[in-house]
Structure formats: structure tokens, C-alpha cells
Amino acid sequence: MGTRSRLQRAGALLRVRSPLGRECLAELLAVFVLMVITLAGAAQKVTSSNTKGDTVTACLAGALAVTVAIYAGGGVSGAHLNPAFSFALCLLGGFPWWKLPLFALLQTLAAFLASAAVFAVYYEAILHYGNGTLATSGPRETASIFATYPADYLSLSGGFLDQVLATALLLLGIQAIRDGRNKGAPAELEPLAVGLLVLALEVSLGANCGCPMNPARDLGPRLFTFVAGWGREVFRWVR
């Protein structure tokens, strides 16, 4: 009884009483879960030279990560996971504008922290695969584990169109799934439906840019690779 009482007191002290604080922590956790699974799937694919994973498994990891992340934080923050989705909700009147910068910052921070976690787990594998170097291009590049990069043939306008279309389809699909007037999925299966939507987009619109569709998903890991040793090349459009 004494141990249980102490645990209860500790739980009461650690409980976040502010609704906004709970939303922030839930969104941080959800994006962290999303990014750890997504980036780890890419790391397993790249560092094993496609022997322990391939494009399909990486896409599955990213899609299932979305599902798990929504289950992890959806009940508290709504699990936006994506500044583009938060922005769309603001436009539709379903989310206050003043929360948009806060959520975007939290989503980017969570992606940065998740990148650090995956780097720590796969540190030895990354160095072994890259022959001790952290490269952004070439046959032994590892920067693409974390951020997305355009294909060699892609122009700036082509990349812009690719991401506008992919993100628009993502937002449209999510709104269709959540629309009670539509033939949407049951509430408890909405996360799975969104994960399948992401999988469909990844396997159909992923060749040009890697299908990030999420500014935080790309910027947070890109910032991490910059400070972790890959250098300024991570911000350059290399043709």
C-alpha cells in the first residue's frame, strides 16, 4: 500500500493540468513516434544496402507510423502531425490561428529529436555504411535517411508541383475520412484509414521527392543532419 500511495502522489505531481500543456505534449509525442518509426525504416533500408529492407518496407514503416502516431496523440491534440494539416484546419475554422505557430514549432522539434534518437540507434550502421563519413551525395550517402531529396532529373518547378499535388491529396483524403456526412471510416479506424492513404500516396507519388508532404517531417531532420555533421550541403538543391 505504501508503494502504491507513493506512486499515486508522484503521478499527481507529474500530471499536467493545463489543457494546452497536454495538447502540446501529446503533439510532441505523436510526431516523435511518427518520425522514429519512419526514419528507422529508412535507416534499415539504406544501411543494409536493401538487404534488410527496401522501398516497400520503408513506405510501410512510414504509413504505419502515421497510424500509431494518431492513436498515440489523437485523443488529446488531434495528432495533426503536419503543419500543413494544422494550416488547413485554420482555414476551415477548425483550429485557432494562434495555435498554428506553436504546433508547427512542436512538430519540427519532435522531428528533430526523433532524428537524434534514430541517429543514436543507427550510428554505427551509418558510419559503417558510409565508410566513416557522413555524405549527402554519392553511392554512400546517408543524408536521405533523415530528410527527403529530389531525384537527379527533377527541376524546381517539377518538385513544387509534385509536393503541391501530393499534399493536396493528403489533406483532401483526411478531410474525406473525417467527414461525418461522407462514407468515412468508423472513428476508431480513422487512424488506420489515414495510414492507408499515406501508403497509397507514397507508392504512387514518392519517386520525385520522396513524398514528404510535411514541412516539419523534412525541416526537423534536415536541421539535425546539418548540426550532426552532414554540413550545409543538406540545404542545397543538387542536380
Side-chain angles (χ1 to χ4, degrees):
M1 291 297 291
T3 301
R4 183 177 179 182
S5 177
R6 285 193 293 271
L7 289 175
Q8 289 174 340
R9 288 198 297 270
L13 289 173
L14 294 173
R15 184 178 296 115
V16 179
R17 303 186 183 279
S18 167
L20 178 61
R22 289 197 295 270
E23 288 182 26
C24 291
L25 288 175
E27 190 68 13
L28 192 71
L29 173 64
V31 177
F32 183 82
V33 169
L34 165 70
M35 293 306 301
V36 165
I37 298 174
T38 299
L39 299 182
Q44 183 165 299
K45 168 185 176 292
V46 171
T47 59
S48 70
S49 299
N50 289 353
T51 60
K52 297 180 180 178
D54 53 25
T55 301
V56 174
T57 62
C59 289
L60 282 172
L64 292 174
V66 171
T67 298
V68 176
I70 296 174
Y71 278 124
V76 180
S77 69
H80 294 192
L81 309 179
N82 187 340
F85 180 68
S86 301
F87 179 72
L89 285 183
C90 289
L91 291 176
L92 296 173
F95 192 65
W97 284 99
W98 67 268
K99 284 186 180 181
L100 177 60
L102 178 60
F103 265 49
L105 178 62
L106 287 168
Q107 290 155 355
T108 305
L109 173 61
F112 183 95
L113 296 175
S115 301
V118 172
F119 181 66
V121 171
Y122 278 95
Y123 176 74
E124 294 171 330
I126 289 171
L127 289 185
H128 179 265
Y129 176 80
N131 293 324
T133 64
L134 301 176
T136 59
S137 60
R140 292 289 173 173
E141 66 83 19
T142 48
S144 63
I145 291 173
F146 299 93
T148 55
Y149 293 87
D152 293 338
Y153 56 79
L154 194 66
S155 66
L156 184 61
S157 59
F160 178 79
L161 176 61
D162 177 273
Q163 282 309 288
V164 167
L165 178 60
T167 305
L169 289 174
L170 173 67
L171 299 178
L172 176 64
I174 293 174
Q175 288 302 107
I177 291 169
R178 298 173 67 243
D179 190 350
R181 298 167 297 179
N182 202 358
K183 292 183 179 179
E188 63 274 11
L189 293 180
E190 283 184 2
L192 179 60
V194 175
L196 291 173
L197 168 64
V198 171
L199 178 61
L201 294 173
E202 286 180 328
V203 298
S204 60
L205 292 171
N208 286 334
C209 299
C211 210
M213 303 178 293
N214 184 339
R217 178 260 176 273
D218 191 80
L219 179 59
R222 198 178 298 275
L223 288 171
F224 172 78
T225 53
F226 171 67
V227 301
W230 277 266
R232 290 180 293 178
E233 290 292 330
V234 300
F235 292 107
R236 295 183 181 179
W237 184 284
V238 180
R239 294 297 302 278

